[in-house]
Amino acid sequence: MNPAQLERLADHLTKLRLFKSRERLEALLQQAAAEDMAYADFLEQVLAEEVAAKASKNVTMRTAMARFPFVKPLETFDFAYQPSIDRKQVQTLATCHFIEHGDNVLVLGPPGVGKTHLAVALGLKAIEAGYRVLFTTAANLIAALTKAHAEGRLDEKLKIYTTPRLLIIDEIGYLPIERQGANLFFQLISRRYERGPMILTSNQSFGAWGEVFGDRVIATAILDRLLHHAVTLNIRGNSYRLKEKLKAGLVRPQEAEA
């Protein structure tokens, strides 16, 4: 192939926004010549690499837009340390069928047992499956809604939290919620009800949500909508931070069991 033809091909690929193929063009042509590849095989390889590159770029972009506090895949979750979790159930959730079915996922358990890790890991699986995901803590969510309400922009802000296919709300119950915040939270839950699934984590049992939201009526209304179509994961185990202290010898095993 002469240089002029190579330049024309590169220009065509650039105009078609096939940037991976443009980057790999010479190497792919050399490989095809060396292996005497059939035209169809060569075309399939070129397109497969382009599709893979675009998919990877989209995943990276959607992961950044999700605003995760960290990126930890499900494969790094230590199920052996948390035997109370049904691994098969989590793997079923990782297929993301719960999103298509409109089911919520509620992850309950004391601090440090991996609730956020599970929520983020499932969020990453959703992104890989092509869904748009948004992560927020309950405190940040309510602060944002309260500020928007005071500025007359509540509908605009609610759309930000209702547009993503999957919304993750972390740390419900770590801080008390005032009545106005509880009402705003209820408005969001109502807007997503049976339209957009959510993953929520909490260190409080459902029975304590009346105290968390400062109003048992509002808490009941929230739970009624959340639990209508929901899967609940209840983690009963030690904190991962305690695990690291055990490894470092900072805590004796008998103290961990107490």
Side-chain angles (χ1 to χ4, degrees), residues 62-81:
R62 287 196 299 269
T63 300
M65 291 174 61
R67 303 177 189 173
F68 293 124
F70 51 75
V71 175
K72 291 183 180 179
L74 187 60
E75 290 72 20
T76 64
F77 190 85
D78 190 353
F79 286 95
Y81 190 71

Side-chain angles (χ1 to χ4, degrees), residues 11 23-24 41 63 110 160 209 245-246 248:
D11 186 53
E23 174 190 329
R24 293 261 296 140
D41 292 339
T63 300
I160 292 175
W209 280 33
K245 288 183 178 181
L246 282 167

